[in-house]
Amino acid sequence: MSTYRIQRGDTLWALAKRFGTTVSKLASTNHIENPNLIITGHTLEVPGGKTTSKKPPSSFQPDKPGKAPAQTEPKAPARPGKISAPKTGNVFLDKYGPAAIRSMQSTGVPASVTLAQAILESGWGRSGLTRKAFNFFGIKGTGPAGSLTVRTREVVNGRSIYINAAFKAYHNAAESFVDHGKMLRRMSRYAPCFRYRNDPAQFARELQKAGYATDPNYASALINIIKQYGLARFDR
């Protein structure tokens, strides 16, 4: 098995021909649901052939639930200033805690809420949307790396329905965390949230009132995660 870092202008069909394999094999090996969408900077696993780019090792294992699959992302640009974050022993929190604190410092969104949303929306980084598009927060639209269409659950009039929706794609996790904080600060409907920057539980309730998610239990889920994993320590 070899690896290849996707370059601008690549297509799955051209890569399959280049490496002497098929589109279906590349898609199944890399869990690609839409062969028309591959994201620049992501690493493909290629059955057979010579390795043409080095795959940086990166993986995490959450406290709960169970072991998460390995996650690979392009190196984020260097950022000024060092963020001091609590060390928890939970690799997900230790890895993304600094990004949540950085967002809090620049936008006012409590780091505890940011981390709880990232955990809930991405399933500890294991969701297809996060693995393929580095979207940790379920934000719809077109991002710096385009968009990814996935099947998602919505709650309408108390009923769960499934729709296909386009979600933002990012080049790395840092972009996702930055965009999340800026979106909440920029959109007027989330303005009431920022009256409770020192009260993450109420901030979460205001997020739900503003319509961040259609799940009626969304705020309760965030609050439970904050309490269970002691995320308030990141706000300090």
Side-chain angles (χ1 to χ4, degrees):
M1 183 76 69
S2 62
T3 60
Y4 173 76
R5 180 66 58 79
I6 298 173
Q7 307 297 315
R8 186 180 297 275
D10 281 340
T11 67
L12 211 59
W13 280 264
L15 293 176
K17 182 177 180 181
R18 175 177 175 179
F19 292 108
T21 183
T22 65
V23 171
S24 61
K25 285 183 179 179
L26 281 178
S28 61
T29 300
N30 294 277
H31 308 289
I32 297 174
E33 297 176 1
N34 182 0
N36 293 309
L37 177 63
I38 56 176
I39 299 175
T40 302
H42 281 202
T43 300
L44 283 179
E45 292 187 353
V46 182
K50 182 180 179 181
T51 300
T52 58
S53 64
K54 187 176 181 180
K55 182 179 180 181
S58 174
S59 62
F60 60 84
Q61 182 177 355
D63 288 344
K64 294 181 181 180
K67 184 178 181 181
Q71 179 176 347
T72 302
E73 66 179 81
K75 184 177 181 181
R79 296 179 295 274
K82 183 178 180 181
I83 297 295
S84 177
K87 295 300 180 182
T88 67
N90 177 305
V91 185
F92 183 95
L93 296 179
D94 290 346
K95 183 174 183 179
Y96 299 115
I101 293 174
R102 185 173 287 107
S103 175
M104 178 176 64
Q105 292 176 344
S106 62
T107 67
V109 180
S112 58
V113 174
T114 297
L115 285 170
Q117 286 192 278
I119 290 167
L120 183 61
E121 297 285 351
S122 76
W124 293 96
R126 298 180 302 167
S127 74
L129 181 62
T130 302
R131 289 187 290 106
K132 296 174 185 177
F134 296 105
N135 188 327
F136 282 75
F137 301 96
I139 300 177
K140 295 176 182 176
T142 302
S147 63
L148 179 67
T149 299
V150 299
R151 186 171 173 82
T152 183
R153 183 178 76 92
E154 303 280 358
V155 179
V156 179
N157 296 325
R159 294 177 55 249
S160 291
I161 63 173
Y162 288 86
I163 62 172
N164 291 325
F167 291 83
K168 288 187 176 184
Y170 303 92
H171 296 102
N172 50 58
E175 282 188 345
S176 180
F177 277 76
V178 168
D179 190 47
H180 168 263
K182 287 183 176 179
M183 180 196 72
L184 295 184
R185 174 53 84 178
R186 182 179 65 249
M187 297 184 69
S188 60
R189 66 174 176 166
Y190 296 118
C193 300
F194 291 90
R195 299 173 190 163
Y196 304 97
R197 286 179 292 182
N198 296 320
D199 184 349
Q202 190 59 37
F203 194 103
R205 295 186 188 101
E206 295 298 325
L207 273 181
Q208 181 173 322
K209 290 179 184 178
Y212 189 97
T214 59
D215 187 341
N217 298 314
Y218 189 74
S220 296
L222 293 181
I223 294 168
N224 288 337
I225 291 172
I226 291 170
K227 291 179 178 178
Q228 181 176 358
Y229 294 97
L231 302 185
R233 73 187 102 171
F234 289 89
D235 297 335
R236 297 190 289 270

